[in-house]
């Protein structure tokens, strides 16, 4: 069995990735410092509590296990916080990732799959966004992801690192079996907040602005299921191992839903009352983010299985109902 080091494997997407890897015959080794991850979310493969900033620990992992590849999910991801505490974001998302890459190179670990973001594009000038769209991120979070993408290119040139950067649009949904799901603290994402409202844990969901230049005035996003993200990671790794060139890929469904539409679909899926009210815009929100993933479909052979928004919300609802307090 091939060992894959999953950094951030106790988090929302990383923990599902481990389940997916195990199902596909790989051995996921989880490294997570549990700042945002949950110990209970680690259900597949060995668990090591620690940080990617710890070179000695990384070296000991690479010595103990023959690690074929590293998948990296261990970024801080609150856009607002990245504006008020940029140092925290550049330290963790950039400096600590650089450390991880250096120790990988020293230990001859060649393959790296990186969770990047559509936040690297900034305010779109063209919809749908393709990989050739200019990258002008508008906050430190997006810049931290772009910096890592640039480091990866340089490491590939200098040291032969084989990498793929996957630019996620809005990661959403939960394990279709209901075992793994989203538990951010604090929670800021739309779908889990809407479902917490359906559960009666919140009085209402605030809609951040209805005066955007969109069909109903609310922001439009491209929601992509975590199981489809996991599928793309393994495809990217397997293609790289087969000799594919390094590169960057968008992961979205090419379909946008407004905040009001998401709430309406959640009302239908849950059958519950979900009260909403319109409040002011949240700073830094582009009106529309929709990605073209044609490149991932063509070159990676990516076939999203959970592209439908109702299905995405159904899987998330199953998780929230069975884990009302999260992990
Ligand atoms: N949103 C909202 N109310 C909330 C949380 C989010 O109206 O309580 C909106 C937000 O402004 C954005 C969309 O929902 O337009 C998706 O936001 P989320 O934070 O889930 O993801 P982002 O697009 O910021 O990555």
């Amino acid at each position: 069995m091939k060992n894959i080091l999953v950094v951030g494997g106790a988090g929302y997407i990383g923990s599902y990735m481990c389940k997916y890897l195990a199902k596909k015959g790989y051995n996921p080794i989880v490294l997570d410092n549990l700042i945002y991850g949950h110990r209970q979310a680690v259900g597949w493969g060995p668990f090591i509590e620690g940080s990617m900033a710890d070179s000695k620990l990384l070296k000991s992992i690479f010595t103990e296990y023959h690690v074929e590849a590293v998948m990296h999910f261990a970024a801080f991801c609150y856009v607002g916080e990245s504006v008020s505490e940029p140092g925290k974001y550049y330290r963790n998302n950039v400096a600590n990732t650089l450390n991880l890459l250096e120790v990988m190179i020293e230990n001859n670990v060649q393959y790296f799959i990186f969770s990047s973001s559509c936040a690297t594009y900034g305010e779109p000038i063209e919809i749908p966004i393709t990989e050739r769209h200019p990258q002008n991120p508008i906050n430190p979070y997006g810049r931290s992801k772009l910096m890592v993408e640039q480091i990866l290119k340089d490491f590939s040139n200098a040291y032969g690192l084989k990498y793929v950067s996957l630019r996620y649009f809005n990661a959403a949904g939960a394990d279709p079996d209901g075992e793994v799901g989203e538990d951010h603290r604090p929670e800021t994402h739309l779908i889990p907040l809407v479902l917490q409202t359906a559960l009666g844990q919140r009085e209402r969901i605030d809609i951040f602005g209805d005066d955007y230049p969109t069909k109903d005035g609310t922001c439009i996003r491209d929601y992509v299921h975590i199981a489809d993200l996991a599928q793309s990671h393994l495809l990217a790794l397997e293609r790289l191992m087969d000799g594919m060139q390094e590169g960057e890929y968008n992961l979205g469904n090419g379909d946008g839903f407004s905040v009001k539409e998401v709430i309406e679909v959640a009302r239908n899926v849950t059958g519950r009352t979900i009260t909403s009210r319109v409040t002011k815009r949240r700073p830094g929100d582009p009106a529309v983010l929709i990605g073209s993933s044609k490149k991932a479909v063509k070159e990676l052979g990516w076939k999203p299985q959970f592209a439908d928004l109702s299905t995405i919300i159904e899987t998330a609802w199953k998780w929230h109902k069975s884990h009302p307090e999260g992990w």
Side-chain angles (χ1 to χ4, degrees), residues 79 89 101 156 164 246 255:
V79 169
Y89 279 70
L101 290 167
S156 173
V164 166
E246 294 71 39
D255 211 359

Side-chain angles (χ1 to χ4, degrees), residues 77 79 117-119 141 168-172 182 187-194 202 204-209 212 218-223 257-260 262-263 277 279-289:
C77 66
V79 169
S117 169
C118 64
Y141 168 72
Y168 306 172
F169 281 70
N170 285 57
E182 191 166 11
E187 189 54 77
T188 61
H189 295 105
L190 179 64
I191 291 176
L193 290 175
V194 167
R202 289 173 189 270
R204 65 178 88 82
I205 179 77
D206 287 341
I207 297 171
F208 297 149
Y212 286 95
T218 66
C219 287
I220 292 181
R221 293 289 179 273
D222 184 345
Y223 295 89
F257 295 91
S258 73
V259 174
K260 283 187 178 165
V262 169
I263 297 169
R277 71 165 174 195
T279 61
K280 62 181 184 356
R281 289 182 176 197
R282 184 172 69 178
D285 270 340
V288 182
L289 287 174

Side-chain angles (χ1 to χ4, degrees), residues 35-94:
I35 291 179
Y36 291 113
H38 305 277
R39 178 68 185 87
Q40 305 90 304
V42 183
W44 300 270
F47 171 63
I48 298 142
E49 184 174 345
S51 163
M52 61 182 168
D54 185 342
S55 304
K56 257 170 90 179
L57 177 63
L58 288 172
K59 195 172 163 42
S60 76
I61 297 170
F62 293 139
T63 307
E64 181 174 351
Y65 300 94
H66 179 74
V67 171
E68 297 282 342
V70 175
M71 293 185 176
H72 177 13
F73 299 87
F76 294 156
C77 66
Y78 296 111
V79 169
E81 185 184 62
S82 81
V83 175
S84 55
E85 292 181 60
K88 176 173 171 179
Y89 279 70
Y90 291 124
R91 166 90 36 212
N92 184 69
N93 294 7
V94 183

